[in-house]
């Protein structure tokens, strides 16, 4: 194993930084302070240090008191370790484990959920530094070194911004993953900067993450594999949603010749609908370019053929897709001709997104009859992580909300009023469910409501929705009439199941 480590680190001064995880916890990580973890969608996240933190806290019999900065949703093992150490505050919310949701909804610590482009911007602009004192230690996973920089894994996420904001950096060198040099484009945004990207495969930064040696506090060795995140492989309703999504996109492509140009880009989002879309995309008569916050490993099957290029902040793997990830690893030299991984501050940057004819597929927990989308809360409880990015909704050409019409327990996802709104109806152009799809562009609120109920709602709930709609239209004035009492009565029909 030592030969493998030497080949990855490539210098004696880096070898000298190798440290026992317990020593990192005792000597480098503060008992009261702040720590940042990179990694997204259950991919390339730190595993050794969180485990060592939890074991140390258990052995000590006392808790840490930490502010935790995350780059995204990590594996269940990561979240379960953090649940044992003692957290005071967290940015943003990570939703990969039930224990995390439970602690947050019990208000055991404070959480601020936010769009990830804004998150990177706050890190860059020193917002957290001014308000909370900044980041003491950033922990990131790498696959090795090349020249003067670290080679990341399959997730770039907010790593560059976290490293720049941190006082110290601890690296987890993953020998469970291959050396992935050449897949990344690391670039830090600056005010007034015109970022020179016109095509999804244009590169403007470095292939490595440069970390000042003065910040590099320790390197620990990791032979641990990524554990699954919270996404599942998807079921029958998801398949029907994707079939209807392909039907809409096919019609849109036939009606708009610009969607066959090199400027047509797609954000397929994350989770089961996104992965199933990768299976069905061959039915679409167009060459695609993927530009997204996240991308399923299933897309690599189409690289160089149906997919002319893929740019993302992470390539994630759903359960059952591990062989595709191995294929990516084994063919990395070919893959990197068609794929590039970048940080959120590039992938979610409105300046770049607005240059493309960008189509966004955003999943949701529920939408109301006017098209407002809730993607993060269930009855006041934070859930999060349904797949997609609100960063892309505003600057995109077309925003599609894709979701089953009912939950796994048979409850409606099309509702009169959604109690939490993440994406407002101004930014929602199309809604697709297993029942059908509706194009909302140019429709008034009343017309939108009729179309959504008629074409997207589940038959079990259409009568209730029409009843609400007819009563609110008859009794309320206004451009977008709402009756909160009647909406509450709608939810009371299944309030026990919903809670």
């Amino acid at each position: 194993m030592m030969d493998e480590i030497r080949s990855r680190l490539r210098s004696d001064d880096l070898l000298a930084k190798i440290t026992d995880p317990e020593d990192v916890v005792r000597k480098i990580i503060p008992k009261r302070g702040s720590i940042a973890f990179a990694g997204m969608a259950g991919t390339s996240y730190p595993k050794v240090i969180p485990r060592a933190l939890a074991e140390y806290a258990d052995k000590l019999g006392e808790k840490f008191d930490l502010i935790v900065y995350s780059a995204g949703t990590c594996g269940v093992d990561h979240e379960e370790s953090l649940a044992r150490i003692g957290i005071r505050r967290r940015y943003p919310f990570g939703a990969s484990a039930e224990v995390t949701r439970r602690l947050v909804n019990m208000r055991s610590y404070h959480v601020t959920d936010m769009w990830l482009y804004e998150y990177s911007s706050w890190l860059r602009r020193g917002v957290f530094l001014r308000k909370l004192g900044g980041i003491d230690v950033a922990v990131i996973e790498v696959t090795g070194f090349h020249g003067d920089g670290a080679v990341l894994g399959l997730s770039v996420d907010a790593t560059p911004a976290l490293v720049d904001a941190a006082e110290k950096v601890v690296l987890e060198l993953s020998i469970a993953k291959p050396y992935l040099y050449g897949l990344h484009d690391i670039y830090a945004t600056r005010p007034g900067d015109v970022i020179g990207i016109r095509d999804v495969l244009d590169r403007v930064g470095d292939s490595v993450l440069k970390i000042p040696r003065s910040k590099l506090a320790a390197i620990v060795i990791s032979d641990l594999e990524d554990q699954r995140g919270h996404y599942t492989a998807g079921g029958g309703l998801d398949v029907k949603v994707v079939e209807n999504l392909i039907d809409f996109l096919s019609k849109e492509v036939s009606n708009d010749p610009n969607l066959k140009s090199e400027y047509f880009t797609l954000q397929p989002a994350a989770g089961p609908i996104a992965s199933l879309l990768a299976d069905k995309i061959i039915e679409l008569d167009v060459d695609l370019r993927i530009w997204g916050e996240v991308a399923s490993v299933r897309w690599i099957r189409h690289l160089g053929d149906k997919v002319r290029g893929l740019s993302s902040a992470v390539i994630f793997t759903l359960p059952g897709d591990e062989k595709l990830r191995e294929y990516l690893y084994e063919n990395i030299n070919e893959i990197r001709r068609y794929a590039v991984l970048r940080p959120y501050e590039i992938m979610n940057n409105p300046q770049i997104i607005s240059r493309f004819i960008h189509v966004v597929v955003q999943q949701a927990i529920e939408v109301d009859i006017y098209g407002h989308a809730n993607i993060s809360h269930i009855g006041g409880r934070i859930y999060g992580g349904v797949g997609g990015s609100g960063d892309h909704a505003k600057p995109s050409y077309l925003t599609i909300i894709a979701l089953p019409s009912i939950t796994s327990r048979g409850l409606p996802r099309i509702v009169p009023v959604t109690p939490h709104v993440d994406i407002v109806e101004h930014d929602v152009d199309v809604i697709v469910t297993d029942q059908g799809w509706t194009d909302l562009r140019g429709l008034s609120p009343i017309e939108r409501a009729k179309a959504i109920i008629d074409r997207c709602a589940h038959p079990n709930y259409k009568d209730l929705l029409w009843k609400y709609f007819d009563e609110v239209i008859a009794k309320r004035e206004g451009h977008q009439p709402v009756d909160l009492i009647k909406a509450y009565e709608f939810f009371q029909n299944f309030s026990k199941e919903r809670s």
Side-chain angles (χ1 to χ4, degrees):
M1 185 172 74
M2 198 60 204
D3 288 342
E4 177 69 17
I5 294 170
R6 286 182 183 277
S7 71
R8 300 288 188 102
L9 295 181
R10 301 176 177 232
S11 72
D12 290 338
D13 64 322
L14 290 173
L15 286 167
K17 292 284 187 180
I18 296 175
T19 308
D20 182 83
E22 186 173 338
D23 286 339
V24 171
V25 172
R26 287 191 300 107
K27 298 176 182 179
I28 297 174
I29 296 174
K31 301 299 180 292
R32 179 181 172 86
S34 58
I35 187 169
F37 296 105
M40 172 60 168
T43 303
S44 298
Y45 60 91
K47 292 167 278 291
V48 174
I49 294 301
R51 183 178 295 184
L53 276 167
E55 291 173 353
Y56 186 77
D58 291 344
K59 184 168 67 175
L60 231 61
E62 62 184 60
K63 297 287 187 182
F64 286 75
D65 185 10
L66 294 174
I67 299 172
V68 172
Y69 296 85
S70 298
T73 53
C74 297
V76 173
D77 56 331
H78 178 99
E79 296 298 325
E80 290 178 344
S81 291
L82 292 189
R84 291 156 56 192
I85 68 173
I87 296 175
R88 180 175 6 130
R89 186 177 292 274
R90 183 167 177 169
Y91 298 93
F93 174 63
S96 61
E98 184 57 41
V99 64
T100 306
R101 297 189 187 99
R102 184 172 66 252
L103 288 171
V104 171
N105 288 313
M106 289 171 58
R107 298 192 291 274
S108 296
Y109 55 85
H110 295 283
V111 162
T112 299
D113 201 21
M114 57 197 306
W115 301 136
L116 294 175
Y117 174 75
E118 181 182 43
Y119 179 54
S120 294
S121 179
W122 281 21
L123 289 165
R124 290 277 180 217
R125 304 287 86 80
V127 174
F128 294 113
L129 176 65
R130 294 191 297 273
K131 293 180 73 68
L132 299 168
I135 300 173
D136 293 313
V137 183
V139 184
I140 68 172
E141 184 181 89
V142 301
T143 64
F145 269 77
H146 183 92
D148 61 349
V151 179
L152 299 178
L154 291 181
S155 184
V156 178
D157 48 78
T159 298
L162 290 171
V163 167
D164 285 353
E167 291 292 320
K168 298 177 182 178
V169 177
V170 173
L171 303 182
E172 290 196 7
L173 175 65
S174 174
I175 58 173
K177 297 181 174 70
Y179 180 67
L180 294 175
Y181 175 73
L183 190 60
H184 311 92
D185 184 42
I186 312 299
Y187 187 85
T189 58
R190 298 174 293 274
D193 190 11
V194 178
I195 303 165
I197 294 176
R198 295 292 184 277
D199 182 85
V200 298
L201 295 180
D202 286 343
R203 291 173 179 258
V204 293
D206 297 311
S207 295
V208 294
L209 176 65
K210 295 181 179 178
I211 304 171
R213 293 300 168 91
S214 60
K215 282 190 177 187
L216 183 51
I219 299 172
V220 299
I221 307 304
S222 173
D223 60 357
L224 301 175
E225 297 281 358
D226 293 335
Q227 291 191 12
R228 65 174 179 83
H230 64 290
Y231 298 126
T232 62
L237 290 183
D238 296 317
V239 172
K240 189 62 179 175
V241 172
V242 171
E243 289 174 351
N244 289 333
L245 179 56
I246 291 292
D247 181 62
F248 166 75
L249 289 173
S250 296
K251 289 180 171 60
E252 190 69 12
V253 166
S254 65
N255 291 328
D256 186 351
N258 288 320
L259 293 181
K260 292 193 176 184
S261 77
E262 68 272 23
Y263 295 107
F264 172 37
T265 56
L266 176 72
Q267 162 157 290
I273 287 176
S275 292
L276 291 167
L277 181 59
D279 296 337
K280 288 280 189 177
I281 206 67
I282 56 172
E283 299 176 15
L284 197 61
D285 182 25
V286 66
D287 288 335
L288 281 174
R289 287 159 178 81
I290 303 297
W291 182 276
E293 179 181 297
V294 292
S296 166
V297 72
R298 292 188 190 184
W299 289 101
I300 68 167
R301 294 175 300 179
H302 306 300
L303 290 180
D305 182 20
K306 178 63 71 173
V307 177
R308 307 307 299 173
L310 181 153
S311 184
S312 183
V314 57
I315 297 176
F316 70 91
T317 305
L318 285 180
D321 289 346
E322 291 81 7
K323 288 185 178 179
L324 285 171
R325 184 179 59 200
E326 292 304 314
Y327 175 85
L328 184 156
Y329 287 158
E330 293 166 4
N331 296 274
I332 188 64
N333 290 332
E334 179 68 14
I335 296 296
R336 66 189 183 187
R337 293 177 54 201
Y338 301 102
V340 57
L341 295 179
R342 315 178 199 265
Y344 297 143
E345 56 194 300
I346 298 298
M347 293 312 310
N348 291 6
N349 194 305
Q351 176 194 145
I352 302 172
I353 293 170
S354 62
R355 294 174 188 164
F356 301 131
I357 306 170
H358 193 56
V359 175
V360 176
V361 178
Q362 170 69 58
Q363 295 172 64
I365 291 170
E366 61 190 2
V367 297
D368 70 21
I369 61 173
Y370 296 123
H372 299 95
N374 168 22
I375 68 173
S376 61
H377 286 73
I378 299 176
R381 295 179 177 86
I382 196 165
Y383 181 84
V386 298
S389 172
D391 281 325
H392 287 242
K394 182 69 70 176
S396 70
Y397 163 69
L398 196 64
T399 298
I400 302 168
I401 303 294
L403 73 167
S405 61
I406 53 174
T407 70
S408 59
R409 293 191 290 171
L411 303 177
R413 292 180 181 267
I414 307 295
V415 297
V417 178
T418 179
H420 182 90
V421 176
D422 296 284
I423 300 177
V424 299
E425 48 87 17
H426 280 55
D427 297 329
V428 175
D429 302 303
V430 177
I431 294 177
V432 181
T433 73
D434 52 290
Q435 298 300 312
W437 57 266
T438 183
D439 186 344
L440 303 175
R441 289 173 289 181
L443 300 185
S444 71
I446 300 303
E447 291 171 323
R448 290 166 73 97
K450 290 179 179 179
I452 291 170
I453 296 171
D454 183 48
R455 300 171 196 165
C456 297
H458 193 276
N460 289 355
Y461 297 99
K462 274 190 177 182
D463 287 346
L464 283 172
L465 289 166
W466 283 124
K467 181 176 183 290
Y468 168 84
F469 177 79
D470 291 340
E471 289 181 351
V472 79
I473 293 300
K475 297 179 180 179
R476 300 277 179 171
E477 295 182 348
H479 183 237
Q480 193 177 107
V482 171
D483 189 324
L484 295 180
I485 293 175
K486 295 296 181 184
Y488 178 74
E489 289 175 359
F490 176 90
F491 288 118
Q492 284 296 101
N493 286 284
F494 39 84
S495 58
K496 289 183 180 179
E497 293 88 346
R498 186 177 174 82
S499 61

